[in-house]
């Protein structure tokens, strides 16, 4: 009895040293497998120990190797023990040990040192190996509670989102997060930040763990803000699954689409999410990538294009995502040498898109910011024939994207406030940046992320002089009240300074309300001019605030009026695309401005009241503006429409 106690005490210190040397991620796996592996090690008798392990993710193979070796060594009485490792790889890189070959096992086992066979999740250990192993261990994806324990998160602290598993992280990310001297909350925030950065990078590069569909990667169901494109994406996933089951033929699957929209709106992410949800291979490519292939000679570029489609053909079904397809110029341009170059590239692309047989099982999604100059043949029926406009997210979508990137721990009303404020002005990529800055702010303060971090980063303090703020408030209130006068309630009025403006009024563009009548032109122009007019009427003079950039009030209203003169037939000519008559545009603008001044004078009290309210609250959302509009008789108190 005494001897047994001594044994345990001895092996305790030996074991402690081994366990202490493990990285945090290896410790996580060690705790999960130690029972089985140690029992097999202790009971080996005269046999050479053989342990077979299958790991939940190829990303974690190396960590599993460390954990299992530590468990064998900790249960072995000797200090030093050579262990032979054989790794069965799918496409993951073999970093340690030898490749797994069943026929080499007898030779390995004859060396009488323990032998460990490692398998990634998509690789089934052979039955014969299972039969002769002392232990066959399946390392399951670590549960949320185990990761939280590793991070030291107690009951009172924030938690990982429901359903989070170990595979959401790379081992190195956990190891960095669980650094010395960090509080549990700091660890959590750092972990979320570094894994978020990796996901963003992966989505940008289209890279991913080879041969996996990536449990940590978003699926369409997790995403917001895609409207029609999102609905199409869900349908495509259903079709791909029906095709794989043999219920429908390839001719019933939409095999091409074009996503058009501003940068950072998640076009790449959506294509990747389709592949994740459908469990199909994803290959991201672009013109820049083809061109960087070797010398960038035409032959190398077309070779690179073909290589992409050949790679897809080897991994069917697959999604090929071509980013920035607008860099490939349409044929027939004025520059003859560029035209010859791009003609060859477009022809090669068309061949790849049409290639009989090769295209079965390949969905091609292309993305660009502007599709005006794409070669018409690329978007013809049967090719990239479905076109989806992916715009900056609206209020509800923006709130969803913020929640997606911030996780729990932030007050829902704070997210809604920020979403109201920035609807129509921020992309998903901007949200990632704000979320990262907010997490950093929390980390520097030594705590987990809170509502105030989001507000401080997204809505920074206002350092402008009071007179400047009041002028901006009057200007924006002028725009908003003019809209209300036409029965439209804006969705937000903000006095928060952004990179592009000192304040903003956002309203839903109601396509139905623009009937193409002269009245519509007047309404839009008056609403645009009302900011400047409010400054002039209430403050005595206008500032330069309405002018400046191409998106300024004056630039927009000039475009509206010029368009009415030259294309809509409301000017002196019915000829479409007639030369702009500057004098006529000026006369029309001057008349519209005079009308706007009259409108502003009539609603001066309302504009001042709204400006005061905005100065008080900085941001007015849809509800506050609707209440104001009702209170001032702009909309019917019972029906919400024009009074
Ligand atoms: P695009 O291809 O349109 O330029 P990306 O797909 O590269 O945009 O988006 C950049 C990053 O912005 C994404 O990796 C993601 O983190 C974030 N993002 C963009 N749109 C969304 C969205 N709708 N939901 C969640 N995240 C988004």
């Amino acid at each position: 009895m005494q001897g047994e106690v001594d044994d345990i005490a001895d092996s305790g210190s030996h074991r402690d040293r081994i366990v202490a040397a493990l990285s945090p991620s290896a410790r996580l796996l060690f705790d999960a497998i130690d029972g089985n592996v140690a029992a097999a090690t202790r009971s080996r008798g005269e046999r050479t120990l053989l342990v077979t392990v299958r790991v939940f993710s190829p990303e974690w193979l190396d960590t599993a190797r460390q954990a299992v070796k530590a468990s064998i060594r900790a249960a072995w009485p000797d200090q030093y023990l050579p262990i032979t490792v054989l790794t069965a790889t799918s496409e993951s890189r073999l970093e340690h040990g030898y490749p797994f070959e069943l026929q080499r096992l007898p030779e390995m086992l004859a060396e009488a040192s323990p032998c460990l066979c490692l398998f990634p999740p998509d690789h089934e250990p052979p039955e014969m190996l299972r039969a002769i192993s002392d232990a066959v261990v399946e390392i399951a994806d670590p549960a949320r509670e185990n990761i939280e324990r590793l991070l030291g998160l107690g009951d009172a602290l924030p938690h990982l989102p429901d359903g989070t598993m170990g595979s959401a992280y790379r081992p190195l990310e956990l190891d960095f997060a669980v650094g010395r001297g960090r509080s549990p909350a700091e660890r959590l925030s750092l972990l979320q930040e570094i894994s978020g950065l990796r996901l963003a990078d992966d989505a940008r590069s289209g890279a991913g763990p080879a041969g996996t569909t990536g449990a940590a990667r978003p699926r369409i169901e997790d995403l917001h803000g895609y409207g029609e494109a999102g609905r199409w994406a869900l349908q495509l996933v259903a079709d791909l699954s029906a095709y794989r089951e043999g219920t429908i033929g390839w001719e019933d699957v939409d095999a091409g689409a074009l996503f058009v929209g501003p940068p950072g709106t998640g076009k790449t992410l959506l294509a990747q999410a389709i592949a994740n949800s459908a469990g199909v291979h994803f290959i991201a490519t672009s013109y820049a990538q083809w061109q960087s292939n070797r010398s960038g000679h035409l032959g190398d570029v077309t070779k690179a294009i073909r290589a992409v489609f050949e790679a897809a053909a080897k991994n069917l079904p697959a999604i090929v995502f071509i980013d920035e397809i607008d860099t490939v110029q349409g044929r027939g341009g004025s520059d003859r040498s560029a035209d010859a170059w791009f003609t060859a590239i477009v022809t090669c692309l068309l061949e790849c898109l049409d290639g009989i047989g090769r295209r079965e099982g390949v969905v091609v999604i292309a993305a660009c910011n502007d599709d005006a100059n794409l070669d018409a043949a690329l978007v013809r029926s049967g090719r990239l024939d479905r076109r989806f406009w992916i715009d900056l997210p609206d209020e509800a979508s923006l709130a969803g994207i913020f929640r997606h990137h911030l996780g729990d721990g932030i007050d829902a009303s704070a997210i809604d406030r920020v979403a109201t404020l920035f609807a129509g002005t921020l992309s998903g990529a901007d949200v990632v940046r704000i979320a990262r800055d907010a997490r950093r702010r929390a980390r520097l303060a030594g705590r987990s992320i809170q509502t105030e971090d989001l507000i401080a980063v997204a809505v920074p303090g206002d350092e402008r002089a009071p007179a400047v703020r009041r002028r901006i408030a009057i200007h924006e209130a002028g725009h908003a009240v003019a809209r209300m006068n036409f029965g439209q309630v804006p969705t937000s009025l903000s006095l928060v300074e952004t990179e592009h403006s000192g304040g903003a009024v956002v309203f839903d563009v109601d396509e139905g309300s623009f009937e193409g009548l002269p009245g519509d032109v007047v309404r839009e122009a008056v609403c645009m001019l009302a900011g400047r007019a409010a400054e002039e009427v209430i403050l005595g003079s206008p500032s330069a605030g309405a002018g400046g950039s191409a998106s300024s009030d004056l630039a927009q209203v000039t475009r509206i009026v010029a368009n009415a003169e030259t294309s809509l037939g409301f000017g002196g000519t019915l000829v479409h695309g007639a030369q702009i008559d500057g004098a006529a545009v000026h006369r029309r603008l001057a008349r519209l401005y005079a009308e706007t001044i009259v409108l502003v004078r009539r609603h001066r009290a309302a504009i001042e009241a709204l400006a005061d309210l905005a100065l008080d609250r900085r941001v007015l959302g849809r509800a506050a503006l609707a209440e104001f509009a009702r209170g001032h008789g702009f909309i019917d108190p019972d029906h919400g429409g024009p009074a």
Side-chain angles (χ1 to χ4, degrees):
M1 203 56 200
Q2 182 63 49
E4 238 181 276
V5 171
D6 284 344
D7 274 357
I8 291 170
D10 276 355
S11 68
S13 62
H14 160 68
R15 181 187 156 85
D16 287 350
R17 272 199 304 279
I18 291 175
V19 173
L22 285 174
S23 64
S25 56
R27 179 66 204 265
L28 187 67
L29 301 194
F30 178 91
D31 289 343
I33 49 105
D34 188 41
N36 281 345
V37 174
T41 308
R42 290 205 187 95
S43 68
R44 78 190 193 285
E46 294 304 309
R47 280 167 294 120
T48 304
L49 179 70
L50 173 62
V51 177
T52 296
V53 174
R54 193 153 80 143
V55 189
F56 60 97
S57 155
E59 309 280 345
W60 283 72
L61 269 182
D62 195 44
T63 309
R65 180 185 61 80
Q66 294 165 29
V68 178
K69 280 171 83 171
S71 179
I72 296 173
R73 287 203 173 115
W76 206 279
D78 296 338
Q79 283 293 34
Y80 178 73
L81 179 69
I83 299 174
T84 307
V85 182
L86 302 181
T87 310
T89 55
S90 43
E91 293 173 55
S92 61
R93 277 171 303 138
L94 182 69
E95 289 194 359
H96 297 274
Y98 305 96
F100 176 82
E101 291 167 59
L102 197 56
Q103 58 275 27
R104 286 192 67 193
L105 255 188
E107 176 197 329
M108 295 285 172
L109 293 174
E111 284 177 15
S113 72
C115 194
L116 163 62
C117 298
L118 273 177
F119 289 81
D122 55 350
H123 206 126
E124 196 59 52
E127 277 311 315
M128 188 195 278
L129 180 67
R130 286 179 180 273
I132 60 170
S133 295
D134 297 291
V136 179
V137 181
E138 289 277 341
I139 305 189
D141 203 350
R144 189 188 77 172
E145 302 77 57
N146 295 340
I147 311 167
E148 288 178 342
R149 200 169 314 123
L150 184 74
L151 297 170
L153 296 171
D155 287 343
L157 289 163
H159 288 271
L160 291 166
D162 279 350
T164 305
M165 305 292 281
S167 57
Y169 307 107
R170 303 263 165 92
L172 200 60
E173 291 165 1
L174 279 170
D175 297 342
F176 276 136
V178 187
R180 289 200 188 109
R182 291 203 183 94
S183 72
E186 279 179 295
R187 292 170 174 179
L188 176 64
S189 131
L190 185 57
L191 178 64
Q192 287 175 331
E193 176 170 354
I194 52 189
S195 61
L197 286 174
R198 186 234 321 152
L199 283 178
D201 278 354
D202 286 354
R204 262 194 298 279
S205 65
T212 66
T213 53
R217 291 148 183 288
R219 299 159 61 88
I220 303 169
E221 305 83 282
D222 306 326
L223 298 176
H224 303 264
Y226 287 110
E228 190 56 31
R231 284 187 284 281
W232 173 79
L234 282 172
Q235 183 58 51
L236 177 62
V237 170
D239 289 349
L240 282 170
S241 133
Y243 166 72
R244 281 208 292 205
E245 285 162 10
T247 335
I248 61 171
W250 187 249
E251 64 283 2
D252 294 325
V253 180
D254 273 344
L258 180 66
F259 294 165
V260 188
T265 43
K267 299 181 288 297
T268 313
L269 184 68
L270 180 59
Q272 167 103 58
I274 296 174
N276 293 345
S277 292
V280 303
H281 210 79
F282 181 71
I283 300 178
T285 185
S286 65
Y287 174 72
Q289 205 179 62
W290 306 329
Q291 213 193 10
S292 65
N293 187 31
R294 299 209 284 173
S295 61
H297 288 145
L298 187 56
D300 289 332
V301 176
T302 51
K303 203 185 280 169
I305 299 176
R306 291 208 174 87
V308 166
F309 284 84
E310 275 154 21
K314 286 193 193 127
N315 292 286
L316 297 175
I319 291 183
V320 171
F321 176 74
I322 308 177
D323 202 6
E324 296 177 2
I325 193 152
D326 44 352
T327 348
V328 177
Q329 290 169 21
R331 292 166 294 178
S334 51
D335 176 342
R336 286 182 61 190
S337 70
D339 197 36
W341 171 271
F342 282 111
T343 299
I345 288 170
V346 170
T347 311
C348 173
L349 259 179
L350 292 175
E351 263 170 49
C352 290
L353 288 176
D354 294 345
I356 304 158
R358 198 183 317 163
R359 266 274 271 162
E360 163 134 12
V362 182
V363 176
V364 180
I365 298 176
C368 61
N369 301 333
D370 179 5
D371 63 344
N373 298 320
L374 289 188
D375 194 280
L378 283 174
V379 289
R380 249 213 326 260
S381 170
R383 294 173 189 149
L384 308 173
D385 55 352
R386 283 189 165 264
R387 176 187 179 282
F388 298 97
W389 173 253
I390 300 188
D391 210 344
L392 293 170
D394 64 10
E395 199 176 326
S397 306
L398 198 56
I401 299 174
F402 264 111
R403 272 192 290 277
H404 179 88
H405 288 287
L406 287 166
D408 297 336
I410 301 263
D411 187 12
S413 66
I415 290 189
D416 288 345
R417 199 174 140 210
V418 173
T420 303
L421 173 58
F422 290 113
T425 64
L426 284 187
S427 69
D430 295 326
V431 173
V432 172
R433 178 182 45 76
I434 291 177
R436 187 186 308 146
D437 289 351
R439 276 195 295 271
R440 183 174 300 118
R441 185 176 186 275
R443 210 171 46 250
L444 292 175
R447 52 174 173 68
S448 61
I449 187 163
Q450 290 168 3
T451 304
E452 61 168 270
D453 298 310
L454 175 63
I455 298 292
V457 170
V459 194
D462 195 337
E463 282 162 12
R464 294 169 294 188
V468 174
R469 278 171 36 211
R470 178 157 160 78
R471 180 172 286 280
I472 292 166
I474 296 279
H475 182 107
E476 300 306 336
H479 286 306
V481 166
R483 288 261 161 229
M484 291 176 191
N485 174 65
F486 291 107
Q488 292 179 326
V489 178
T491 53
S492 75
L493 186 165
S494 150
L495 300 188
V496 176
E497 191 174 13
T498 66
E499 204 182 318
H500 311 291
S501 71
V505 171
V506 177
F507 58 97
D508 285 335
V509 181
D510 176 6
E511 303 283 355
S513 75
F514 193 92
E515 296 175 62
L517 299 174
D520 295 330
V521 174
V522 172
R523 181 192 64 216
E524 291 307 307
V526 166
C527 290
M528 286 286 168
L529 291 167
R532 185 180 203 272
E535 287 184 56
E536 184 167 338
V537 170
I538 298 168
L539 302 174
S541 67
S543 67
S549 74
S551 58
S552 68
D553 296 347
L554 292 183
Q556 289 190 52
V557 78
T558 306
R559 272 197 297 275
I560 293 173
V561 171
N563 199 28
E565 289 284 332
T566 57
S567 311
L568 302 181
F570 298 153
T573 173
L574 291 179
V575 176
H576 179 87
Q579 279 285 328
I580 297 176
D581 175 352
V585 172
H586 170 77
R587 273 195 306 278
R588 191 183 272 261
L589 264 178
R591 218 171 35 242
L592 285 166
Y593 191 62
E595 277 182 46
T596 312
I597 293 277
V598 172
L599 182 139
V600 164
R601 283 209 183 107
R602 185 151 38 98
H603 294 298
R604 177 183 178 141
I607 294 173
E608 288 192 78
L610 186 59
D612 287 342
L613 192 64
L615 281 168
D616 189 36
R617 300 209 207 149
R618 291 190 73 192
V619 181
L620 301 172
R622 195 191 289 268
L625 288 166
E627 193 187 319
F628 180 91
R630 261 192 301 276
H632 286 77
F634 289 113
I635 54 174
D636 183 335
D638 298 324
H639 299 101

